[in-house]
Amino acid sequence: MTTDWGEKSTADLMSSYVSKEMGYGVPKEGWRICLAHEFKEKRKPFQAKDVSLSNVLEHIGLGIRYLKWWYKKTQVEKKAPFIDMFRAQPLRQIYGAPLGGIGGGTITRGWRGEFCRWQLNPGMYHYKTVTANQFTVCLRRGGQTVYQQVLSVERPPTLQGWNWGYCGEYAFYHALFPRAWTVYHLPGQNVTLTCRQVSPVIPHDYKDSSLPVAVFVWDIENKNDYALDVSIMFTMVNGSGHKDDKSGGHWNEPFHLEKEGEEVSGVLLHHCTSVNPYTLCIAAREQPDKEISHQTAFSPKGTCSGLWRDLITDGRLDSPTGSSPPTLKGEKVAAALAVGCSVPAQGHNTLEFCLSWDMPKITFGSREREHIRRYTRYYGTNGDASPSLSHYALTHYKQWEKSIEEWQRPILQDSSLPSWYKSALFNELYFVTDGGTVWTELPEDADVSGGVRSENGGLPAQPAVIKEYGRFAYLEGQEYRMYNTYDVHFYASFALIMLWPKLALSVQYDIAGSVVQKDPTERLHLMSGLCSPVKAKNVVPHDIGDPDDEPWKRVNAYLIHDTADWKDLNLKFVLQVYRDFHLTQDNQYLRDMWPICQAVMESEMKFDLDGDGLIENSGYADQTYDGWTVTGPSAYCGGLWLASLCVMCKMAKLVDNEETYRRYRDILDRGSAAFDKLLWNGKYYNYDSSGRDLSNSVMSDQCAGHWFLRASGLGEEDYQAFPNEKIKSALKSVFDLNVMSFAGGQMGAVNGMRPEGVPDRSSVQSDEVWIGVVYGLAATMIHEEEGMRTAEGCYRTVWERLGMAFQTPEAYCEKGIYRSLAYMRPLSIWSMQLALNSSQKDQTTSSQIGATDREQGQDLRGNQS
């Protein structure tokens, strides 16, 4: 289903495009925008000043404590806060698909062609457009240059010896992650260039998907009646726009590598910082009809007219031999690579470039440990892998594209799915690579078990899946700098378990190992003002740490609340364990996780204060809806609790533990009765059971427990926690009120809505739309048309109206503000695809994961102690 307003917003993004050229091999589906487009709406980030007076008064202690902590962190320790309420990132409506595979760092190229967002140091972002990083085209006819242009719409105050100001009305950008296309029609030249950007992000591939490389393929169409010589020049600064670009000691050198009958040439840019040094590489493949030339070093300041003249003279660069001298402090250095070819009249030719970066060893902010990136398993840790990486990328990218097309084709060709959904499904995957993501090897002496071994209800010291596939971590958000924030991963994890299930299981083993650990260190929690231990035993941590500290070693970077009192983290662990088993059929995984699940469920039992089988809340309900006051059982946590009891019953049957099954069955039966009695109002589940004025607010995420049961193949017959007729009624109420009564039904589902049809404004977060929650809600609704309509509002708002492509935020309000750009939770859109797969019955869910990616264990019943 596509609405009229959806069609109009799509057309708006391309309304400035004046050419009829549609490029070479550009797909129909994806996100498309003219380079001359300007977004009309300019939103501001949510900051401390946006908190309402009533909330300020209610949380004045929190505000004072946060301000003191913020001052100490920024002014005394000179560190970046894990959440900065005073210096949120302003909205820059410029970002395109990031470059690179998973876990080796990312460089984001904007939709106008800028190299503008950098995450080479793990988890730490800086947002700097490096002006000199450009592609330039040179056209020659009869030995004379007739046209030379930087392919950028910018007119910067530097490098004025270059021809800037390409007319954006003649170009458009098209993204379908992990690829993107930019089409440039060259005015007056009868030539069209299509730049295709390819990154190796390939489902169920754990080798090539780890590589820190990207390939740029330039298809050149000559519509003239005469041949042209065409050169493309790629310029790159040694660095990332960071202040350490001027720290001195950086140097460049040309290289040539011949291997397996293929030759690659280019320039290496050695960035020699004291912490996390790396090498950038720009390269091209030697071919009989292509000419490669280079400029080893030039200064990217002043007019830089010498390089421009070098290219314009004969379409090639001077290609000096030898390396450049190390830079002096205060200096920057850049390099250039040009590739030329002849394009026949009314003909076509192709040029290829590769950009790679090699930072094999990394340390986080504390500098305590050295970690080894995943790709080094194949390319070594010496920091000399850039030539080999580039060679491999340039000789294998066509196979990558074949794999990507085979993966995406069934969805793209499904005429029952709307175009916006196809764009959202693939483009939201950007966060798997650009979520501050790290993918590291497990050290030989590492012990992820927390010291509790399998025979004592714990884990192996080195679980096979982590040993073979490494450790994986991604941030809650680029602005909320905590790794593997578990309550949000609960939503986002669908992308991993469906596409890279071994990484999803690796995360689960890491979390399980931390469950049995405790950290008695006392620290102040900012919400309560009380001191309590950092980590309690048998409680799932909020996160595995801050990249500016030491992730995996020190968990729970989030210090707003005491996580020991949260109900949802343990429940989400149990639910994910069974869902992951359901989708992978990995029996060893279930055997390992079963005792951990029992331990965390036992720790939840203390919240069943009345002995009615239903856990209760006091104060702050849970981590997900932080700040929304709850008293007594609630629809959200209560629903997750019942769903967890369901999966415990199912797992008890699988491991042939009848006594445990009967125990959880009894709690489930009593809890379900109490849940209905306390929360069902005839139309939907009340927000909580306190009886206060706002307890009957309509919560958009009230069916989260049912959503996860359905995703796990449960939710019916013996493993049903919620009556079907009540789920249908609750979803109808959410659609009628939270969706259609909010913003004209065009912005998704607001978190909280009053029964009279006005948003619940009782907290900072209740009147927000959370895009990732809406995608999960839509998955729950997927059997009805309302599911697509609900999710469409979020996509149109973020990608087409607010200019937030490739930085989908956690939240936005109806007007004015957004919160936390580039956030993990919207990966939950893959739960919609899982629901579609299940409902279409095209294949069993387990085969959807892929037989090649499943390891069958031994029979559970025969091996359960």
Side-chain angles (χ1 to χ4, degrees):
M1 182 195 72
T2 304
T3 57
D4 291 342
W5 54 271
E7 291 171 356
K8 181 177 184 298
S9 59
T10 304
D12 282 349
L13 297 184
M14 285 293 288
S15 62
S16 300
Y17 189 61
V18 298
S19 173
K20 291 183 171 58
E21 297 294 330
M22 299 313 293
Y24 190 90
V26 182
K28 174 188 173 186
E29 308 293 358
W31 181 72
R32 184 172 295 188
I33 185 169
C34 175
L35 267 59
H37 183 76
E38 291 288 342
F39 289 96
K40 297 180 179 67
E41 188 167 348
K42 311 289 184 184
R43 289 215 168 189
K44 300 289 186 184
F46 176 87
Q47 292 186 286
K49 62 182 177 57
D50 296 304
V51 180
S52 68
L53 180 60
S54 61
N55 274 301
V56 167
L57 295 175
E58 184 177 351
H59 300 304
I60 193 165
L62 166 65
I64 293 171
R65 287 185 288 272
Y66 177 84
L67 182 59
K68 289 180 177 178
W69 172 84
W70 181 90
Y71 181 84
K72 179 183 177 185
K73 178 67 70 172
T74 59
Q75 304 304 309
V76 179
E77 298 176 13
K78 303 298 182 183
K79 292 260 189 175
F82 69 92
I83 297 177
D84 196 330
M85 288 294 294
F86 298 108
R87 296 187 295 207
Q89 279 297 316
L91 176 61
R92 301 173 72 203
Q93 298 164 315
I94 65 172
Y95 296 116
L99 305 169
I102 300 173
T106 44
I107 301 170
T108 295
R109 191 163 178 246
W111 52 267
R112 289 192 177 102
E114 318 94 318
F115 289 78
C116 51
R117 185 170 67 195
W118 305 78
Q119 189 258 145
L120 298 180
N121 283 315
M124 306 301 289
Y125 278 84
H126 73 277
Y127 306 86
K128 177 72 174 180
T129 297
V130 181
T131 305
N133 291 356
Q134 298 291 345
F135 287 100
T136 296
V137 62
C138 174
L139 304 183
R140 293 173 58 78
R141 181 187 180 195
Q144 296 294 318
T145 296
V146 295
Y147 180 87
Q148 187 162 298
Q149 174 72 54
V150 182
L151 294 171
S152 169
V153 300
E154 303 298 326
R155 296 180 182 273
T158 59
L159 305 177
Q160 292 184 348
W162 298 9
N163 184 25
W164 296 90
Y166 173 84
C167 183
E169 293 175 349
Y170 288 89
F172 69 87
Y173 177 85
H174 184 97
L176 189 67
F177 187 80
R179 297 190 294 173
W181 294 255
T182 311
V183 176
Y184 303 89
H185 180 61
L186 304 184
Q189 304 305 312
N190 229 8
V191 171
T192 300
L193 308 176
T194 302
C195 177
R196 185 167 81 255
Q197 168 186 314
V198 184
S199 292
V201 183
I202 305 162
H204 310 287
D205 180 301
Y206 300 91
K207 176 179 177 284
D208 289 8
S209 290
S210 73
L211 302 182
V213 298
V215 173
F216 300 96
V217 183
W218 288 84
D219 287 293
I220 306 161
E221 297 174 276
N222 178 11
K223 304 294 181 67
N224 294 293
D225 293 329
Y226 48 83
L228 286 170
D229 292 323
V230 180
S231 297
I232 302 283
M233 179 175 70
F234 185 13
T235 48
M236 196 79 186
V237 171
N238 186 329
S240 61
H242 193 268
K243 62 183 180 181
D244 66 21
D245 292 2
K246 295 183 178 182
S247 61
H250 311 313
W251 59 285
N252 302 343
E253 63 173 328
F255 79 94
H256 178 86
L257 176 63
E258 181 178 357
K259 186 164 57 174
E260 298 169 355
E262 296 281 0
E263 299 179 55
V264 167
S265 297
V267 184
L268 302 174
L269 297 82
H270 301 292
H271 198 75
C272 304
T273 49
S274 58
V275 177
N276 297 338
Y278 60 91
T279 296
L280 291 167
C281 174
I282 51 178
R285 187 159 60 104
E286 299 274 8
Q287 294 173 280
D289 62 338
K290 309 291 189 328
E291 182 180 18
I292 301 175
S293 58
H294 70 269
Q295 182 54 259
T296 307
F298 70 92
S299 175
K301 66 178 182 180
T303 63
C304 206
S305 55
L307 181 72
W308 192 260
R309 287 194 303 269
D310 188 4
L311 183 67
I312 209 169
T313 300
D314 55 6
R316 64 185 308 281
L317 301 173
D318 283 347
S319 302
T321 59
S323 60
S324 68
T327 56
L328 300 175
K329 191 170 185 178
E331 289 183 344
K332 293 184 181 181
V333 66
L337 185 71
V339 186
C341 67
S342 179
V343 187
Q346 300 297 329
H348 163 266
N349 210 335
T350 302
L351 300 175
E352 304 163 339
F353 292 85
C354 178
L355 172 64
S356 67
W357 50 99
D358 182 24
M359 184 192 285
K361 301 175 182 179
I362 53 173
T363 58
F364 293 104
S366 73
R367 314 281 183 252
E368 292 177 38
R369 298 180 179 181
E370 188 174 76
H371 302 263
I372 306 300
R373 293 200 196 262
R374 166 73 177 184
Y375 74 90
T376 62
R377 175 175 289 209
Y378 315 104
Y379 288 92
T381 61
N382 293 330
D384 57 1
S386 291
S388 295
L389 283 166
S390 298
H391 187 283
Y392 186 84
L394 287 165
T395 54
H396 287 78
Y397 79 85
K398 291 180 182 177
Q399 181 59 49
W400 298 343
E401 290 196 281
K402 181 181 177 183
S403 298
I404 291 165
E405 288 167 0
E406 288 174 353
W407 157 46
Q408 294 182 338
R409 186 180 298 116
I411 294 169
L412 298 179
Q413 291 184 350
D414 187 341
S415 59
S416 71
L417 298 175
S419 291
W420 70 262
Y421 171 76
K422 297 169 185 177
S423 172
L425 185 71
F426 293 114
N427 284 325
E428 289 290 7
L429 278 175
Y430 84 94
F431 197 84
V432 172
T433 65
D434 205 18
T437 312
V438 289
W439 186 0
T440 64
E441 293 286 79
L442 185 67
E444 291 184 5
D445 61 348
D447 181 353
V448 305
S449 72
V452 182
R453 293 288 187 270
S454 303
E455 56 270 22
N456 298 315
L459 298 172
Q462 295 202 346
V465 71
I466 301 186
K467 197 170 183 179
E468 176 60 26
Y469 296 98
R471 276 181 150 169
F472 176 86
Y474 57 160
L475 296 175
E476 179 176 336
Q478 290 180 11
E479 294 190 85
Y480 284 15
R481 210 184 56 243
M482 296 159 283
Y483 272 131
N484 293 353
T485 297
Y486 199 73
D487 79 290
V488 186
H489 172 69
F490 175 73
Y491 295 82
S493 61
F494 282 92
L496 289 183
I497 195 60
M498 292 179 70
L499 302 175
W500 295 276
K502 301 302 185 188
L503 297 184
L505 299 189
S506 175
V507 170
Q508 285 290 89
Y509 273 103
D510 259 330
I511 292 293
S514 68
V515 165
V516 300
Q517 298 180 54
K518 63 180 179 180
D519 182 349
T521 307
E522 293 278 321
R523 73 173 177 190
L524 177 71
H525 290 95
L526 301 182
M527 180 63 75
S528 66
L530 302 175
C531 289
S532 57
V534 170
K535 168 75 172 62
K537 187 175 181 179
N538 291 337
V539 174
V540 171
H542 170 274
D543 57 81
I544 64 158
D546 176 354
D548 206 22
D549 186 25
E550 192 61 45
W552 289 299
K553 181 179 180 182
R554 281 188 289 278
V555 303
N556 280 342
Y558 185 79
L559 49 72
I560 305 296
H561 293 288
D562 181 356
T563 56
D565 289 334
W566 285 333
K567 303 5 174 236
D568 64 331
L569 294 172
N570 283 357
L571 305 178
K572 288 171 176 176
F573 176 80
V574 172
L575 289 169
Q576 285 188 72
V577 164
Y578 182 73
R579 180 209 57 190
D580 296 350
F581 167 74
H582 170 68
L583 294 177
T584 63
Q585 295 296 297
D586 188 328
N587 293 338
Q588 182 62 52
Y589 169 72
L590 184 59
R591 274 201 303 275
D592 288 342
M593 293 298 162
W594 172 243
I596 310 294
C597 288
Q598 289 180 290
V600 298
M601 287 297 283
E602 286 303 313
S603 74
E604 291 290 290
M605 294 295 184
K606 66 178 179 287
F607 298 116
D608 180 9
L609 304 180
D610 298 333
D612 59 0
L614 191 62
I615 62 172
E616 299 187 23
N617 302 285
S618 59
Y620 291 90
D622 53 77
Q623 203 284 322
T624 293
Y625 294 94
D626 181 9
W628 207 348
T629 305
V630 178
T631 304
S634 69
Y636 185 73
C637 270
L640 294 176
W641 168 248
L642 297 182
S644 298
L645 292 169
C646 263
V647 303
M648 289 298 288
C649 289
K650 178 66 175 178
M651 288 191 287
K653 283 287 188 182
L654 288 170
V655 301
D656 201 21
N657 191 325
E658 188 63 28
E659 181 181 352
T660 300
Y661 168 79
R662 287 197 301 271
R663 178 169 182 250
Y664 283 113
R665 182 82 248 179
D666 173 65
I667 300 170
L668 174 61
D669 291 342
R670 290 186 290 112
S672 295
F675 188 75
D676 276 1
K677 178 182 177 182
L678 292 170
L679 293 163
W680 182 252
N681 65 18
K683 292 185 176 180
Y684 58 88
Y685 294 104
N686 285 337
Y687 174 64
D688 68 18
S689 58
S690 67
R692 62 194 177 92
D693 290 345
L694 298 173
S695 66
N696 64 340
S697 285
V698 187
M699 187 183 197
S700 65
D701 211 10
Q702 62 184 272
C703 298
H706 176 75
W707 165 53
F708 236 78
L709 286 179
R710 291 301 301 270
S712 305
L714 302 176
E716 295 179 343
E717 298 178 353
D718 290 345
Y719 302 102
Q720 180 177 11
F722 314 95
N724 284 335
E725 67 275 9
K726 290 182 179 176
I727 290 294
K728 288 182 179 179
S729 177
L731 291 175
K732 183 179 187 305
S733 296
V734 169
F735 183 74
D736 291 345
L737 289 166
N738 300 60
V739 179
M740 297 308 295
S741 297
F742 176 76
Q746 296 188 8
M747 292 183 73
V750 69
N751 276 342
M753 182 66 85
R754 300 293 301 135
E756 58 270 23
V758 296
D760 182 331
R761 304 190 192 280
S762 62
S763 81
V764 168
Q765 299 178 351
S766 56
D767 67 343
E768 292 180 331
V769 175
W770 290 6
I771 297 91
V773 164
V774 174
Y775 288 152
L777 170 64
T780 320
M781 295 175 163
I782 209 70
H783 302 289
E784 311 293 334
E785 188 175 89
E786 286 83 352
M788 284 293 177
R789 175 64 189 267
T790 296
E792 181 178 4
C794 284
Y795 175 80
R796 302 290 185 192
T797 300
V798 169
W799 288 79
E800 297 179 346
R801 189 178 125 204
L802 300 184
M804 294 177 175
F806 298 100
Q807 53 180 331
T808 304
E810 158 72 319
Y812 55 74
C813 292
E814 183 174 3
K815 296 178 181 178
I817 60 174
Y818 63 86
R819 186 166 57 79
S820 187
L821 289 170
Y823 199 75
M824 178 198 290
R825 202 187 317 258
L827 286 171
S828 63
I829 193 170
W830 278 85
S831 70
M832 293 180 65
Q833 189 59 33
L834 180 61
L836 287 166
N837 291 346
S838 302
S839 65
Q840 291 168 348
K841 306 295 183 184
D842 288 339
Q843 51 192 342
T844 64
T845 309
S846 57
S847 68
Q848 190 276 332
I849 291 302
T852 59
D853 212 22
R854 189 183 307 120
E855 292 179 347
Q856 291 288 354
Q858 296 177 341
D859 179 74
L860 282 163
R861 294 173 186 265
N863 288 275
Q864 181 60 37
S865 57

